Each structure stands twice: as C-alpha cells, then as structure tokens.
Amino acid sequence: MDTGTIIVTDPLVEVLSTTYPQKVAIYTRVSAAENKDNLEGQTKRLTDYCAAKGYQVAAVVKEIGSGVNDTRPKLLKLLTNPTITLIVVEHKDRLTRFGFNYIEQ
C-alpha cells in the first residue's frame, strides 16, 4: 500500500473466497480507551481493504481490551458465530497476543 504496509494474503483463502461466498467480519481492537482514534483508523483501513478485495462485510466489531485478555466478550461472540467464514484483522496481534495458530485453525 502507499503507506508502506505490506499485505500478505493466504492463497487458500483466495481460492475459497472465489468458490464459496464469504460472510466477512472486521475485528479491530485497541488496548486502552485513549487509543480510540487508532480503533477508528483500523476500521477505516480494513473497510477499504475489504472493499478493494470485493468482500461483503457482514459485521464490524470494535473492542477495547488487552490482547492477553481471553475473556473479550465481542471477540468471543464473533469466534462462536458459525455464520462468519472470514475474520479480517489488521495484524494478528489485534486478535490475540498469544495462541493465534489455535484460532487460525
């Protein structure tokens, strides 16, 4: 991107998204309320990214909480929603600081 951000996509996700319709959710997180501007920035960048990829965004989830906290209610609700097929995050540490591979699987 023109900001210097490099986006790496998973080829399997690309194939699946052209084969099956995706129900996409955007998940953004900051660790403290004073970073709320960053939360809005993440949302804007991810919304633009999804639009460029042709993803129909079904939900935008914004949360304030620590990445090491495993009881974030909005994330838990999103992860247990069986209709969501793809969760888009700006960086995997926005989803979780530890155990990302478990969630990815």
Side-chain angles (χ1 to χ4, degrees):
M1 301 181 78
D2 57 355
T3 61
T5 301
I6 299 171
I7 299 174
V8 179
T9 59
D10 186 341
L12 178 60
V13 171
E14 296 295 319
V15 169
L16 289 176
S17 66
T18 58
T19 307
Y20 304 101
Q22 296 285 332
K23 187 158 182 193
V24 177
I26 290 174
Y27 180 78
T28 61
R29 181 190 62 80
V30 293
S31 57
E34 59 264 14
N35 298 327
K36 197 168 186 176
D37 288 343
N38 189 336
L39 191 65
E40 298 306 320
Q42 285 179 54
T43 303
K44 170 82 170 92
R45 289 186 296 274
L46 291 174
T47 301
D48 292 346
Y49 171 78
C50 288
K53 298 295 280 179
Y55 295 154
Q56 299 265 335
V57 177
V60 176
V61 178
K62 301 176 188 178
E63 194 155 49
I64 298 173
S66 171
V68 296
N69 181 350
D70 64 354
T71 58
R72 286 177 275 145
K74 292 180 181 180
L75 177 60
L76 292 173
K77 184 176 179 182
L78 184 61
L79 290 172
T80 58
N81 182 341
T83 66
I84 298 296
T85 58
L86 181 66
I87 300 172
V88 179
V89 294
E90 189 167 48
H91 191 272
K92 64 183 182 180
D93 75 350
R94 297 297 88 201
L95 195 62
T96 184
R97 291 287 183 179
F98 305 104
F100 178 80
N101 289 331
Y102 295 117
I103 295 172
E104 186 177 38
Q105 293 303 316

